[in-house]
């Protein structure tokens, strides 16, 4: 999750049950999480590069990434204190700085991250345009943001990204790279111009 408004922000109550959510997510989304980690590994970020996972939930993606790329600096944020508490308990969590935060008000200085990812979170954001502006704000020059979500949500996010103007290049990849044409998951790519 990534915003403070309504049932979407609490994932219709699931945010208060992080262990159950994690079990469900791993059953349903494990191949997608592995794909995201492979995409990041293939990007070839240098040692010391900083990666932020927005809407991290129980922290699965940054924990997996910590195993695959131990030289990266990893952060994960989520609106749910329960999800962040669960993320901090998971295997490999010591390698990740987890914090409770809203995508619409990220607690990081401008140009902090080489890569920002979000995996199946954006459709919960109450204000995608503000969230995308914040994501873009914390991306370093030469960096990028990858927002993975169901294809209709990625299309909506692309429209919301129109407010980024000339400061960014935005493109939609449906399906996300390396996926079957039938995959329901797409990716929005945001890069500083």
């Amino acid at each position: 999750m990534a915003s403070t408004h309504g049932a979407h922000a609490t994932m219709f109550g699931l945010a208060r049950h992080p262990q159950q959510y994690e079990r469900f997510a791993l059953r349903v989304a494990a191949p997608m999480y592995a794909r995201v980690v492979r995409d990041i590994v293939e990007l070839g970020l240098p040692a010391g590069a900083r990666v932020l996972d927005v809407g991290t939930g129980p922290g699965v993606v940054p924990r997996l990434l910590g195993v695959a790329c131990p030289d990266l600096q990893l952060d994960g944020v989520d609106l749910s204190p329960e999800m962040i508490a669960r993320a901090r308990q998971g295997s490999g969590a010591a390698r990740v700085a987890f914090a409770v935060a809203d995508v619409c008000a990220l607690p990081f200085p401008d140009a902090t991250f080489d890569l920002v990812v979000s995996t199946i979170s954006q459709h919960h954001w109450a204000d995608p345009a503000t969230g995308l502006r914040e994501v873009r704000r914390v991306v370093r020059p030469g960096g990028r943001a990858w927002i993975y979500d169901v294809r209709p949500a990625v299309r909506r996010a692309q429209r919301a990204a129109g407010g980024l103007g000339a400061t960014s290049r935005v493109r939609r990849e449906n399906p996300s790279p390396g996926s079957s044409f039938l995959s329901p998951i797409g990716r929005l790519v945001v890069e500083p111009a």
Side-chain angles (χ1 to χ4, degrees), residues 9-145:
T10 64
M11 295 180 355
F12 303 96
L14 285 174
R16 290 185 286 278
H17 305 283
Q19 290 175 314
Q20 291 86 343
Y21 175 81
E22 183 174 12
R23 280 195 300 273
F24 171 77
L26 286 173
R27 278 191 212 118
V28 173
M32 183 195 56
Y33 293 150
R35 176 77 245 175
V36 170
V37 170
R38 266 193 318 274
D39 289 349
I40 296 168
V41 169
E42 290 171 4
L43 185 58
L45 293 169
R50 197 159 175 197
V51 177
L52 171 64
D53 183 27
V54 173
T56 195
V60 174
V61 169
R63 291 189 333 241
L64 290 172
L65 189 56
V67 172
C69 299
D71 293 333
L72 298 179
Q73 295 180 41
L74 305 170
D75 292 82
V77 297
D78 199 280
L79 188 61
S80 166
E82 294 89 352
M83 287 290 185
I84 292 300
R86 175 68 181 167
R88 288 176 177 152
Q89 296 169 358
S91 173
R95 295 228 343 88
V96 184
F98 288 109
V100 175
D102 188 328
V103 69
C104 292
L106 292 172
F108 304 103
D110 293 356
T112 300
F113 296 96
D114 299 285
L115 176 66
V116 176
V117 296
S118 179
T119 308
I120 309 297
S121 165
Q122 182 273 319
H123 65 271
H124 293 291
W125 301 358
D127 186 350
T130 299
L132 288 167
R133 277 194 303 277
E134 275 293 279
V135 164
R136 166 57 188 90
R137 180 185 67 76
V138 300
V139 173
R140 290 181 177 146
R144 67 197 73 192

